[in-house]
Amino acid sequence: MRLCVIGTGYVGLVAGAGFAETGNDVVGVDVDAAKVAALTRGELPIYEPGLEELVHRSARADRLRFTTDLADGVRHAQVILIAVGTPSGADGEADLSAVWAVADGIAQYMDGPRIVVTKSTVPVGTAAALARRISAATSHRATIVSNPEFLKEGDAVNDFMKPARVVVGTNDAKAREVMRTLYAPFVRTRDRIHFMDPVSAELTKYAANAFLATKVTFMNEVANLAEAVGADANDVRLALGSDDRIGPRFLFPGIGFGGSCFPKDLRAIIGSAREAGSPLSVVEAVYAANERQKVRLYDKVALHFRGALDGRTFAVWGLTFKPRTDDVRDAPALEVITRLLAAGARVRAHDPQGMRNAVAALGEPAAFSVHADPFEAVAGADALLLCTEWNQYRTPDFERLRTTMRTPVVFDGRNLWDPTSLVELGFTYHGIGRHGPPRG
Ligand code: NAD
């Protein structure tokens, strides 16, 4: 099939490369000329495991190319996939300006019927609004399909190639068959395509993210309570997650969820639900609790140093919102760093993939530096804050760590390390809901 994917970010690039891998002829369109130029040279503008190989393979076979020319993409394709960003607008609602701009371009350049698929996360009702907008501007028929994306950054290629489920929202029988053909190679072992109407598909995406965010936040609050009553959140987590009805995933206490999806999608669904007169009170509470959680690690640091942070040096390991990505959008680490800097501290950071994006996101403050070697980042530090659970941080040389730091104090924001062993090694350990070595 001939496809056009508009937006070549985390979702568009993975989807474009994924569909090209199964033999489709794909054109990726983006307004970012530098991104398109880099992709055309074979350089990936983002870090996502396994993606480079996938892109190169299809590009070499002439099944995947990139352009800034929307007209070229629209005329090339039978199916057009919209994968542009939908960030939070001023009031927290999704900013759909990129989606509308793309819709207007599609309407302008269509020279026959097209299937237009929204992969971007868009509020309930957007498919219908898109259909109205495009049909008002062209006499050609555009069939709108809602096909929200569920991939996880860090494992996006795997998620796309072996999806847990594919959600397709359309009332059109032909579009349904086209979507089935497109996804057939990815669901061969078991039919995992859920067909529904567009509104239900749009809601499913938000409901999935809201549920996962709720699970994370529930455990964060349980961990906070564990701290207050002297329980160990890790023991609670393991026992809690062994119940099939609950399950072990998304139960790791931490410093709050972040990233390019959960925070903005929660804000969007909270707004939509209120507007529809059916508020999601649980999700509202989750969002508020997470805002508090993002400050907790900083509060622990401030408490430990009795508020005297001015002139101190802190090392931060992990800047991205999760491991195996370079994405720092809404990353809790950046929230902690911003507060430390505002309190007059210096921050020396390391991250395997996110340092460039973090420097840009923080606006290159003078008191913030990044270091290619994690041990260089901890040199002379008053404390180390572990903010992202990259594999390489799991078992560092603690002896070396202790002697490199000015004072051996760690704030383990991901409960990655064993409190008892760290205390034995001479560290002062602060985790999330952990009580360290047994107390009398
Ligand atoms: P991204 O910011 O990485 O990529 C968006 C791309 O769209 C950028 O390259 C940008 O230049 C391009 N773009 C913006 N306006 C354009 C226009 N008018 N024409 C052509 N290109 C344009 O975003 P992303 O993370 O890939 O997310 C895209 C959508 O998918 C969002 O709605 C997001 O909520 C959703 N989503 C993201 C993830 C994820 O893990 N990142 C997962 C599921 C769903």
Side-chain angles (χ1 to χ4, degrees):
M1 231 180 283
R2 281 174 284 111
L3 309 182
C4 165
V5 180
I6 307 174
T8 58
Y10 291 88
V11 167
L13 195 54
V14 171
F19 284 131
E21 174 79 0
T22 54
N24 297 290
D25 182 357
V26 182
V27 173
V29 178
D30 207 292
V31 280
D32 185 335
K35 203 175 246 191
V36 168
L39 285 165
T40 305
R41 287 194 302 272
E43 293 162 21
L44 258 63
I46 54 167
Y47 171 75
E48 185 58 50
L51 184 57
E52 191 163 24
E53 197 190 328
L54 205 62
V55 169
H56 285 176
R57 194 160 46 233
S58 289
R60 272 198 305 270
D62 276 339
R63 289 193 307 266
L64 180 62
R65 65 182 171 90
F66 301 96
T67 178
T68 52
D69 185 359
L70 182 59
D72 173 12
V74 170
R75 293 199 182 116
H76 163 86
Q78 298 154 283
V79 180
I80 300 167
L81 298 108
I82 301 178
V84 297
T86 51
S88 276
D91 306 325
E93 85 290 6
D95 174 356
L96 294 184
S97 50
V99 173
W100 301 139
V102 164
D104 294 345
I106 293 172
Q108 186 182 344
Y109 300 124
M110 273 168 73
D111 52 5
R114 295 288 186 279
I115 293 175
V116 177
V117 180
T118 48
K119 284 209 86 50
S120 298
T121 303
V122 290
V124 172
T126 302
L130 262 176
R132 285 194 299 274
R133 191 163 176 129
I134 296 179
S135 67
T138 175
S139 54
H140 298 295
R141 180 173 154 74
T143 307
I144 311 294
V145 176
S146 168
N147 171 220
E149 182 53 61
F150 293 93
L151 59 76
K152 302 183 289 297
E153 282 176 30
D155 205 17
V157 170
N158 197 38
D159 283 342
F160 192 84
M161 304 306 267
K162 295 182 197 142
R165 79 313 219 171
V166 174
V167 170
V168 175
T170 179
N171 296 319
D172 184 277
K174 185 160 176 281
R176 192 182 153 116
E177 284 323 301
V178 168
M179 295 303 284
R180 194 193 286 287
T181 306
L182 207 49
Y183 277 105
F186 307 104
V187 294
R188 289 186 65 212
T189 31
R190 186 147 54 94
D191 189 358
R192 293 159 189 264
I193 307 182
H194 297 263
F195 287 105
M196 57 188 79
D197 60 68
V199 181
S200 305
E202 289 164 341
L203 182 55
T204 302
K205 172 65 193 175
Y206 282 105
N209 276 357
F211 186 86
L212 292 172
T214 301
K215 194 171 177 190
V216 170
T217 305
F218 174 83
M219 194 61 216
N220 282 340
E221 290 212 308
V222 169
N224 298 344
L225 176 60
E227 232 161 71
V229 300
D232 191 299
N234 201 42
D235 293 337
V236 176
R237 170 183 73 79
L238 288 167
L240 192 63
S242 63
D243 182 328
D244 286 350
R245 295 167 302 176
I246 297 173
R249 302 182 68 189
F250 276 71
L251 274 189
F252 290 85
I255 55 175
F257 60 74
S260 64
C261 291
F262 281 12
K264 85 166 170 65
D265 290 350
L266 259 60
R267 286 193 287 270
I269 190 64
I270 286 169
S272 300
R274 283 189 166 216
E275 213 170 283
S278 185
L280 290 171
S281 54
V282 171
V283 183
E284 291 189 20
V286 164
Y287 189 83
N290 191 60
E291 288 299 291
R292 293 192 295 274
Q293 195 71 16
K294 288 198 295 189
V295 186
R296 245 182 118 80
L297 200 67
Y298 171 81
D299 285 345
K300 281 174 191 271
V301 176
L303 190 68
H304 177 92
F305 292 100
R306 298 193 173 83
L309 303 181
D310 194 7
R312 288 192 189 277
T313 300
F314 293 99
V316 172
W317 279 3
L319 299 167
T320 52
F321 80 97
K322 65 190 285 196
R324 290 162 62 86
T325 181
D326 60 350
D327 198 344
V328 300
R329 288 179 282 185
D330 259 328
L334 300 197
E335 171 100 27
V336 176
I337 292 168
T338 303
R339 284 174 189 266
L340 290 171
L341 295 175
R346 295 190 62 81
V347 176
R348 298 167 62 85
H350 174 268
D351 187 282
Q353 294 292 340
M355 297 200 287
R356 197 165 47 99
N357 285 341
V359 169
L362 290 166
E364 305 183 25
F368 176 70
S369 57
V370 290
H371 303 267
D373 177 351
F375 284 94
E376 200 185 304
V378 298
D382 290 284
L384 166 63
L385 284 68
L386 188 283
C387 289
T388 316
E389 66 279 31
W390 285 92
N391 272 342
Q392 75 178 83
Y393 300 146
R394 283 178 194 270
T395 46
D397 180 345
F398 285 112
E399 205 62 57
R400 186 175 164 202
L401 191 62
R402 200 191 62 222
T403 51
T404 312
M405 296 174 71
R406 203 170 77 79
T407 45
V409 183
V410 295
F411 295 87
D412 180 359
R414 299 292 175 177
N415 286 352
L416 211 56
W417 298 322
D418 176 45
T420 309
S421 349
L422 260 81
V423 169
E424 275 167 19
L425 284 166
F427 286 91
T428 302
Y429 177 92
H430 300 270
I432 308 288
R434 321 260 345 238
H435 59 46
R439 287 169 294 192

